[in-house]
C-alpha cells in the first residue's frame, strides 16, 4: 500500500477543514493554492463566486497542480468538461470525490472512456445530506397536512374564519417514499416515528428499514392510488428520467401531497402542473427542478399550492464538515486497500 496520498484540491476547501482531514488521516498531502480557487460565498459553496476568473497563467498552474495528484477533492470548477481534462492529463489519478450526493450525473456528462472509468474510482457525498433533506421532506408533508397555504392566505387578509377548520395528522397518512438510500431511509424513519404508514420503493430491500411495506419500482402505478403523499428521493439517471409523470398523476387520489428532494429530472413538470391545477395534487414541496435556476417564467413560482425551495434544503453549516470527514474516511480506506464508501455505479451513474 502507498505510504501517502497526494490530493489535488479542485474545489474550495477552507484551511481549517484541510486541517481536520489531516487530523483524521495524516498520510494525505494536499496540493492546493487558494488563489486558484473561487472564494466561497456561504458554507458548502463548492461552486464559489461565479464572477471569479483565473488568468491564463493561473489556469495553467491549476491544471498542472491537478495533474500531479493521486486523488481530487471535488470536480474541478464543478464542470464535467474540466473533469475530463483532468482525467485525460493525469494517468496516475486514482480517485475523485464529488461534493454532491448525486455526483454521478456530472461524471456521466464528462464522457470518460471505459478505460478511464475503470482506472479512476468516483465517490459521492451520499448520506451527508440525509438528515437535512429528510427534515425538508417532513416539513413539506407537515405544510400540506396543516394547510399552510390556507393559513398564510388568511393571515395576509387578516381573516379569522367563522368556523374552525380541521387539519390532517401525518400519523393517519400513508406515504410512499420512492428511493431508499440515505435520504429515503431517514424520511421513512422520521415518518414511522410519527405513526405514518410508510411504503418504501426501491430496487432492492435494505435491512433495518422502518417500513410498513416494501415494493419494487415495477409496482409504482399499482400503489400510487392508495397513498396520501409521495416523497421522491431518486437520483437523476436515464432510468429515472420522467418516471413521475402523467401516468402516475392519473392514478393518484385527489389532493395528494408531492415532495421532491431527489432530482428534478425525475418529474414531468408539465404533468405535475396539470395535476396541481386540477386538484389531484393538493400541495407540492419542491427543492429540485428540471431546469435550475427555476426560470422566472415558470408557473411553479406563483402557484398557490406549491412551495419552492431553490435547491438549498440540504444546506446547513455542518455540510462541508461532514463531507470533509467522509473524504478522510475514504482516503484511509484507499490507503489501506479497503473498499471506498459511496462508489458511483459507472453503468447507471448513481
Amino acid at each position: 500500500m502507498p505510504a501517502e496520498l497526494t490530493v489535488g484540491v479542485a474545489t474550495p476547501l477552507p484551511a481549517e477543514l484541510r486541517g481536520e482531514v489531516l487530523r483524521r488521516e495524516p498520510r494525505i498531502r494536499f496540493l492546493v493554492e487558494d488563489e486558484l480557487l473561487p472564494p466561497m460565498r456561504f458554507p458548502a459553496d463548492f461552486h464559489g463566486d461565479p464572477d471569479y476568473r483565473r488568468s491564463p497563467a493561473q489556469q495553467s498552474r491549476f491544471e498542472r497542480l491537478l495533474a500531479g495528484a493521486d486523488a481530487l477533492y471535488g470536480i474541478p470548477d464543478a464542470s464535467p468538461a474540466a473533469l475530463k481534462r483532468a482525467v485525460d492529463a493525469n494517468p496516475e489519478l486514482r480517485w475523485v470525490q464529488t461534493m454532491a450526493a448525486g455526483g454521478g450525473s456530472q461524471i456521466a456528462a464528462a464522457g470518460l472512456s471505459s478505460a478511464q472509468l475503470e482506472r479512476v474510482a468516483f465517490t459521492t457525498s451520499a448520506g451527508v445530506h440525509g438528515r437535512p433533506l429528510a427534515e425538508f421532506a417532513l416539513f413539506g408533508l407537515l405544510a400540506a397536512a396543516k394547510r399552510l397555504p390556507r393559513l398564510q392566505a388568511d393571515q395576509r387578509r387578516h381573516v379569522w374564519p367563522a368556523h374552525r377548520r380541521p387539519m390532517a395528522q401525518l400519523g393517519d397518512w400513508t406515504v410512499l417514499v420512492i428511493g431508499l438510500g440515505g435520504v429515503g431511509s431517514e424520511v421513512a424513519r422520521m415518518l414511522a416515528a410519527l405513526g405514518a404508514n410508510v411504503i418504501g420503493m426501491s430496487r432492492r430491500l435494505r435491512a433495518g428499514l422502518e417500513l410498513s411495506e416494501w415494493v419494487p419500482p415495477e409496482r409504482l402505478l399499482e400503489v400510487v392510488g392508495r397513498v396520501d403523499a409521495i416523497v421522491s428521493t431518486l437520483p437523476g439517471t436515464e432510468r429515472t428520467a420522467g418516471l413521475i409523470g402523467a401516468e402516475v398523476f392519473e392514478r393518484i387520489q385527489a389532493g395528494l401531497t408531492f415532495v421532491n428532494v431527489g432530482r428534478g429530472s425525475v418529474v414531468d413538470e408539465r404533468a405535475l402542473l396539470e395535476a396541481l391545477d386540477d386538484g389531484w395534487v393538493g400541495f407540492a414541496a419542491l427543492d429540485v427542478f428540471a431546469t435550475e435556476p427555476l426560470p422566472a417564467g415558470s408557473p411553479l413560482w406563483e402557484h398557490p399550492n406549491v412551495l419552492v425551495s431553490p435547491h438549498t434544503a440540504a444546506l446547513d453549516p455542518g455540510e462541508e464538515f461532514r463531507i470533509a470527514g467522509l473524504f478522510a474516511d475514504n482516503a484511509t480506506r484507499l490507503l489501506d486497500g479497503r473498499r471506498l464508501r459511496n462508489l458511483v455505479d459507472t453503468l447507471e451513474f448513481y
Side-chain angles (χ1 to χ4, degrees):
M1 294 298 108
E4 182 180 73
L5 184 69
T6 303
V7 175
V9 179
T11 197
L13 178 64
E16 60 269 25
L17 287 182
R18 296 201 295 265
E20 177 62 21
V21 171
L22 292 174
R23 184 187 69 78
R24 298 187 185 202
E25 180 43 80
R27 292 174 290 177
I28 287 175
R29 180 170 67 89
F30 281 119
L31 300 178
V32 58
E33 292 187 43
D34 287 318
E35 69 173 21
L36 302 180
L37 297 168
M40 299 178 80
R41 297 159 294 171
F42 44 80
D45 180 20
F46 301 116
H47 289 77
D49 187 342
D51 294 328
Y52 171 81
R53 297 290 184 275
R54 299 185 191 93
S55 69
Q58 287 177 321
Q59 184 64 32
S60 179
R61 278 167 49 203
F62 183 58
E63 293 182 8
R64 286 199 306 271
L65 180 147
L66 301 184
D70 303 316
L72 297 184
Y73 187 89
I75 291 178
D77 300 325
S79 162
L83 174 62
K84 171 67 171 169
R85 288 196 301 270
V87 175
D88 285 346
N90 185 352
E92 302 303 317
L93 186 66
R94 303 163 58 198
W95 169 40
V96 176
Q97 169 73 44
T98 72
M99 301 295 101
S105 60
Q106 293 174 296
I107 298 160
L112 301 174
S113 69
S114 57
Q116 289 172 324
L117 292 171
E118 185 175 346
R119 168 171 63 88
V120 182
F122 295 92
T123 58
T124 73
S125 296
V128 164
H129 312 92
R131 182 64 181 264
L133 286 176
E135 287 191 2
F136 179 85
L138 187 63
F139 166 66
L141 295 170
L142 284 167
K146 306 309 175 187
R147 308 291 192 267
L148 179 63
R150 187 176 66 188
L151 291 174
Q152 290 179 316
D154 286 349
Q155 183 175 348
R156 282 192 296 269
R157 294 182 292 120
H158 299 191
V159 170
W160 188 282
H163 303 286
R164 299 180 70 189
R165 296 167 173 168
M167 293 183 177
Q169 306 296 313
L170 284 189
D172 296 331
W173 279 15
T174 296
V175 181
L176 173 63
V177 179
I178 305 179
L180 295 174
V183 178
S185 297
E186 186 65 10
V187 172
R189 186 193 67 79
M190 290 182 176
L191 287 171
L194 291 172
N197 183 53
V198 183
I199 301 175
M201 178 172 289
S202 62
R203 284 191 286 171
R204 291 175 296 276
L205 176 60
R206 292 173 52 189
L209 296 181
E210 300 184 51
L211 303 175
S212 304
E213 182 181 352
W214 171 81
V215 293
E218 294 76 21
R219 294 183 57 194
L220 175 61
L221 296 180
E222 174 189 332
V223 300
V224 292
R226 56 187 176 93
V227 303
D228 301 288
I230 296 173
V231 177
S232 174
T233 71
L234 291 172
T237 68
E238 288 186 10
R239 184 189 291 265
T240 64
L243 179 68
I244 303 173
E247 275 194 299
V248 171
F249 295 126
E250 287 169 0
R251 288 168 169 77
I252 61 176
Q253 299 182 59
L256 174 131
T257 296
F258 178 69
V259 177
N260 192 5
V261 291
R263 283 294 179 266
S265 61
V266 173
V267 182
D268 180 338
E269 288 181 359
R270 183 185 297 274
L272 172 60
L273 275 163
E274 290 178 359
L276 281 159
D277 289 341
D278 293 342
W280 288 99
V281 173
F283 183 78
L286 309 172
D287 183 53
V288 289
F289 303 88
T291 300
E292 296 183 359
L294 182 64
S298 171
L300 292 170
W301 282 112
E302 301 293 336
H303 202 288
N305 293 321
V306 174
L307 174 65
V308 170
S309 168
H311 205 152
T312 57
L315 180 61
D316 75 287
E319 178 183 349
E320 58 188 352
F321 181 87
R322 294 192 298 273
I323 292 176
L326 173 62
F327 180 82
D329 179 68
N330 263 340
T332 299
R333 289 169 177 264
L334 184 67
L335 286 162
D336 292 346
R338 294 186 285 133
R339 181 178 173 83
L340 301 182
R341 294 166 60 190
N342 297 345
L343 278 167
V344 171
D345 178 329
T346 53
L347 293 177
E348 296 194 47
F349 293 98
Y350 74 93

